[in-house]
Amino acid sequence: DAGREGSERVRAHAAAASINFCEHADDAVLAPHLQEMLRHLSVLMQSGNRKASEQAITTVAAISLAVGELFIPYYASFIPFLKSILAMPPDQAGPRLRGKTMECISLIGLSVGADHFREDAKETMKLIVSTLDHVASATEPSSENEDTEASYMHQACGRICKCLGEEFVAYLPALLPSLLRSASLAPDVKLADADNAEELEEMETVQVGDELMGVRTWVLEEKATACHMLNTYLTELGPAFFPYLEQVGNVLKPLLTFWYHEDIRASAITAMQSMCKCAAASVKQQQSTAAAFGAGGGTMTAAGDTRVVKSVLDFVFSDLLGALTTEGEVVLQAQCARAIGGCVEACGGGCLSPEQLDQMTKAFQQIMEDSDQRIERIATEHDLEAEEEEDEDEDEDEDEDE
């Protein structure tokens, strides 16, 4: 009835306010109120009101993240209901509720740890993979709502990956195709003059000379999420990711100079360093295995061949140097420099050829010269501003004397 609906709406607002509280409170502050808060949220979550349920689920996720292992006693009270939402037919639960549910499950998993979460994580991954298979087999293009759910799914997978570690590798064949498609999306960009601005409806616009340039931002956001997730798997799985290194590298390397989105370039830069670390760790792992079984160098697999590390370094090196010298954002330029250093460190001494060493030296020298020029220009501008302020103060003093 109307009274109940109003009550649920008020409780949903209270749940939303609790999130702000959780962001600034540590577990010691939350602990005395935890049982009572979670009891009310459990009731609201199962109220049957979709918006209220969504808010309650979002708040439970925030609380679990804030209190960490203190959530363990309540784990069994929430996970079964959350999994039941994912088991519903997609059109019954709706993409947003399903997305929020996946987010909540994965954040709870991070909070309580792999020992408590492992089996439920595997069950959740089966449901996610089933959903992705359904999306992949659809004949009609996905809607923006479905793309939003996919974003939630992939971010949840990233958290579950952190919990499961190398056990997560089994799910990569199901996850990577859609991520690689999203990471390969071309930017949806249009140009129009002021008289045809209606052509750019539902697009973010910027003035470029006498024309307007429109960019469909949700495409860039999907691409950025995919790049971030690929980077997460590279970082978290280490040598276990080696079999997928080439296909992921071929997609991410061109994005070092993707000028439409800084986060995408940042993910690509980090991925180049992670690829070298992955290859080096894989070689080390293979060599350890070969030594343990008394295998000679002639039986070494491709992953255990040290030449593989050099080939990965060669694959990323020139493009990273190119990104370093052309990147317009100083923060990303510094990230490029650190990534180059990380690649060399991962691959070991003597990994650079004389030509590569010369290229790197010249590139870093150019970067330092550019930095000196920027500092000098900023100092000059600062001095000019100070002189102008001093002249203005003198003029004001003269006016007062008169």
Side-chain angles (χ1 to χ4, degrees):
D1 58 18
R4 179 183 174 187
E5 184 179 343
S7 171
E8 288 172 351
R9 189 161 54 246
V10 171
R11 285 185 291 160
H13 282 299
S18 300
I19 294 177
N20 298 328
F21 181 69
C22 290
E23 289 176 350
H24 302 285
D26 57 24
D27 53 5
V29 174
L30 290 169
H33 313 286
L34 195 56
Q35 184 174 354
E36 191 68 9
M37 288 174 68
L38 291 176
R39 183 179 69 80
H40 285 293
L41 287 167
S42 178
V43 173
L44 186 61
M45 186 186 294
Q46 301 177 59
S47 64
N49 182 313
R50 181 177 293 185
K51 288 186 176 180
S53 294
E54 286 177 7
Q55 185 57 68
I57 289 170
T58 304
T59 305
V60 169
I63 290 174
S64 72
L65 192 61
V67 302
E69 293 185 351
L70 292 180
F71 196 88
I72 290 174
Y74 310 98
Y75 178 82
S77 301
F78 285 92
I79 287 294
F81 176 74
L82 292 169
K83 289 194 300 184
S84 73
I85 294 176
L86 294 188
M88 293 178 185
D91 55 347
Q92 182 178 342
R96 181 173 172 80
L97 178 59
R98 287 171 58 82
K100 289 289 184 181
T101 301
M102 285 181 269
E103 177 183 64
C104 185
I105 290 174
S106 60
L107 285 171
I108 288 175
L110 277 181
S111 300
V112 303
D115 290 342
H116 293 276
F117 185 50
R118 179 172 285 103
E119 295 307 314
D120 290 314
K122 293 177 180 179
E123 191 174 336
T124 301
M125 284 306 305
K126 287 181 181 178
L127 292 168
I128 289 176
V129 168
S130 175
T131 302
L132 287 172
D133 288 343
H134 173 75
V135 172
S137 63
T139 55
E140 296 182 3
S142 59
S143 66
E144 191 167 342
N145 282 337
E146 290 170 331
D147 290 331
T148 298
E149 182 184 353
S151 176
Y152 275 114
M153 275 192 285
H154 285 302
Q155 291 182 59
C157 288
R159 300 184 194 104
I160 293 173
C161 175
K162 292 179 181 180
C163 286
L164 295 182
E166 290 193 6
E167 294 177 68
F168 189 84
V169 172
Y171 305 107
L172 289 180
L175 299 175
L176 289 183
S178 63
L179 283 176
L180 292 170
R181 281 195 301 271
S182 295
S184 302
L185 287 173
D188 189 354
V189 179
K190 291 183 179 178
L191 286 173
D193 55 35
D195 295 333
N196 298 301
E198 66 277 0
E199 296 178 8
L200 306 181
E201 287 183 6
E202 300 182 0
M203 303 179 83
E204 294 289 329
T205 59
V206 292
Q207 191 77 37
V208 181
D210 296 330
E211 294 184 305
L212 286 173
M213 182 176 74
V215 180
R216 205 171 297 280
T217 54
W218 70 264
V219 175
L220 295 181
E221 288 164 5
E222 180 180 340
K223 189 179 183 79
T225 297
C227 293
H228 174 72
M229 296 317 308
L230 290 170
N231 210 6
T232 296
Y233 296 148
L234 254 173
T235 303
E236 294 295 328
L237 298 176
F241 196 83
F242 181 83
Y244 307 97
L245 211 57
E246 184 176 359
Q247 64 183 128
V248 170
N250 285 332
V251 170
L252 292 183
K253 187 171 74 167
L255 301 180
L256 289 167
T257 53
F258 186 79
W259 306 121
Y260 295 100
H261 204 288
E262 291 178 16
D263 290 346
I264 291 173
R265 299 202 302 281
S267 290
I269 293 167
T270 303
M272 299 302 103
Q273 177 179 345
S274 298
M275 286 176 64
C276 289
K277 289 183 176 180
C278 174
S282 181
V283 166
K284 186 177 181 180
Q285 187 180 73
Q286 290 285 333
Q287 289 174 337
S288 298
T289 302
F293 286 93
T299 62
M300 192 74 71
T301 65
D305 188 339
T306 54
R307 290 173 298 180
V308 171
V309 180
K310 174 61 174 170
S311 68
V312 173
L313 177 63
D314 290 345
F315 176 79
V316 307
F317 188 78
S318 295
D319 291 84
L320 262 180
L321 273 185
L324 174 70
T325 55
T326 57
E327 176 58 59
E329 296 294 329
V330 174
V331 172
L332 292 184
Q333 199 172 52
Q335 187 183 345
C336 266
R338 289 193 296 270
I340 292 169
C343 290
V344 174
E345 182 180 7
C347 296
C351 61
L352 293 179
S353 67
E355 182 183 0
Q356 288 173 325
L357 191 58
D358 182 58
Q359 290 172 347
M360 185 177 70
T361 302
K362 288 178 179 177
F364 276 105
Q365 184 177 358
Q366 181 62 53
I367 293 304
M368 287 188 286
E369 289 175 0
D370 292 343
S371 177
D372 289 340
Q373 290 174 6
R374 282 197 301 270
I375 292 171
E376 185 178 342
R377 185 173 65 250
I378 292 170
T380 301
E381 291 173 354
H382 179 75
D383 290 342
L384 289 173
E385 288 175 1
E387 289 177 6
E388 289 175 0
E389 289 176 2
E390 187 176 338
D391 291 341
E392 289 175 1
D393 290 340
E394 290 177 357
D395 291 341
E396 289 176 1
D397 291 339
E398 290 176 1
D399 291 340
E400 289 177 1
D401 292 340
E402 291 176 3

